[in-house]
């Protein structure tokens, strides 16, 4: 892959990542959507539908019985990751949330080295260390310390690390394409998130939110 194409992919990824963070923050804090779990479920369902609609021809149809065994650990980490990520976005300011999320890069590099045998160059290690120092400074200067929000971010960083390492190992060891892995991962995440939403979500609040905003839009 050429440098120009890598830069383009990185730019697109960055743009979508920032857009998702801002959108989640807007929905949870400005519009006061009552359930981050339901929001995570909706986003996962949307991902699954898009892949099913646009890329179904690239999904293998054989040996499906072995897929859950290979993908389920990744799906569990991914479900925790998206839930804690959205919850953290709603609990902390965006600059602080973004800074603290950089800690996951260190955890991923350590995990890659210990579990996958992957070594990075010295400049990469140094750049990550600088980002983590910035995250620590941001946390120290946080005058609105929110222990729940910090707990969300801690779990989010751990789940992001697990998701990243499992993604790399599944792509390497089980010969999944990136589209297949995303498809099956989303598929297996759905029942996990459905259960969490059913157990934890206050559907009365969601209904009131929808009715209230429908009235506002109509007016």
């Amino acid at each position: 892959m050429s440098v120009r194409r890598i830069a383009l992919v990185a730019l697109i990824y960055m743009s979508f990542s920032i857009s998702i963070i801002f959108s989640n923050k807007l929905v949870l804090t400005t519009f006061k959507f009552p359930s981050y779990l339901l929001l995570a479920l909706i986003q996962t369902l949307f991902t699954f539908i898009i892949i099913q609609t646009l890329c179904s021809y690239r999904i293998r149809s054989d040996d499906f019985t072995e897929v859950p065994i290979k993908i389920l650990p990744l799906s569990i980490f991914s479900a925790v990751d998206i839930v804690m990520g959205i919850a953290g976005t709603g609990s902390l300011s965006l600059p602080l949330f973004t800074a603290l999320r950089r800690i996951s890069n260190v955890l991923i590099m350590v995990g890659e080295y210990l579990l996958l045998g992957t070594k990075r160059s010295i400049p990469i290690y140094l750049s990550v260390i600088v980002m983590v120092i910035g995250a620590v400074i941001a946390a120290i200067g946080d005058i609105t310390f929110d222990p729940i929000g910090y707990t969300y971010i801690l779990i989010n960083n751990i789940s992001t690390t697990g998701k990243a390492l499992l993604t790399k190992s599944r792509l390497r060891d089980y010969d999944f394409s990136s589209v297949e892995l995303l498809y099956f991962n989303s598929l297996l995440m759905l029942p996990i998130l459905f259960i969490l939403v059913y157990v934890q979500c206050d559907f009365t609040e969601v209904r009131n939110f929808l009715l209230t905003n429908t009235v506002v839009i109509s007016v």
Side-chain angles (χ1 to χ4, degrees):
M1 185 180 293
S2 65
V3 175
R4 182 176 298 179
R5 186 172 181 181
I6 293 175
L8 178 61
V9 171
L11 180 61
I12 294 174
Y13 174 81
M14 179 185 68
S15 301
F16 276 97
S17 179
I18 293 174
S19 299
I20 291 173
I21 292 175
F22 273 97
S23 298
N24 288 336
K25 185 69 173 179
L26 183 68
V27 170
L28 291 173
T29 59
T30 302
F31 293 107
K32 306 294 184 182
F33 188 73
S35 175
Y36 60 85
L37 286 171
L38 183 57
L39 185 59
L41 174 60
I42 292 171
Q43 291 181 2
T44 303
L45 181 61
F46 181 78
T47 300
F48 174 76
I49 292 174
I50 289 296
I51 299 175
Q52 177 67 40
T53 303
L54 301 180
C55 304
S56 59
Y57 66 95
R58 298 173 60 182
I59 308 299
R60 68 179 71 178
S61 57
D62 57 334
D63 297 330
F64 181 77
T65 54
E66 297 183 2
V67 169
I69 299 175
K70 298 175 181 177
I71 304 296
L72 186 58
L74 172 61
S75 300
I76 294 173
F77 273 97
S78 297
V80 174
D81 187 58
I82 188 173
V83 169
M84 291 295 100
I86 294 176
T89 303
S91 300
L92 300 174
S93 67
L94 286 183
L96 182 60
F97 172 82
T98 305
L100 294 177
R101 288 288 286 126
R102 301 285 74 80
I103 296 175
S104 63
N105 293 328
V106 175
L107 300 178
I108 290 173
M109 287 198 308
V110 172
E112 283 183 333
Y113 179 76
L114 295 178
L115 301 178
L116 303 179
T118 302
K119 296 181 180 180
R120 303 296 179 182
S121 63
I122 297 299
I124 292 179
Y125 285 121
L126 291 177
S127 63
V128 171
I129 290 173
V130 170
M131 285 192 296
V132 171
I133 292 174
V136 172
I137 294 174
I140 293 175
D142 181 21
I143 60 176
T144 59
F145 179 77
D146 182 357
I148 296 178
Y150 274 73
T151 301
Y152 287 151
I153 295 300
L154 174 62
I155 299 174
N156 192 199
N157 285 334
I158 295 173
S159 60
T160 297
T161 302
K163 183 182 72 172
L165 297 177
L166 285 169
T167 297
K168 287 179 178 291
S169 66
R170 267 50 188 173
L171 289 172
R172 182 190 65 182
D173 299 336
Y174 295 120
D175 197 31
F176 286 107
S177 68
S178 57
V179 173
E180 287 176 333
L181 192 62
L182 185 58
Y183 174 83
F184 289 124
N185 185 43
S186 299
L187 177 62
L188 293 176
M189 283 173 62
L190 287 174
I192 299 173
L193 294 174
F194 267 119
I195 293 173
L196 291 175
V197 168
Y198 180 78
V199 172
Q200 294 291 333
C201 182
D202 188 339
F203 292 100
T204 301
E205 289 187 359
V206 175
R207 184 177 67 251
N208 292 337
F209 171 85
L210 294 175
L211 291 174
T212 301
N213 284 273
T214 300
V215 171
V216 171
I217 293 174
S218 299
V219 173

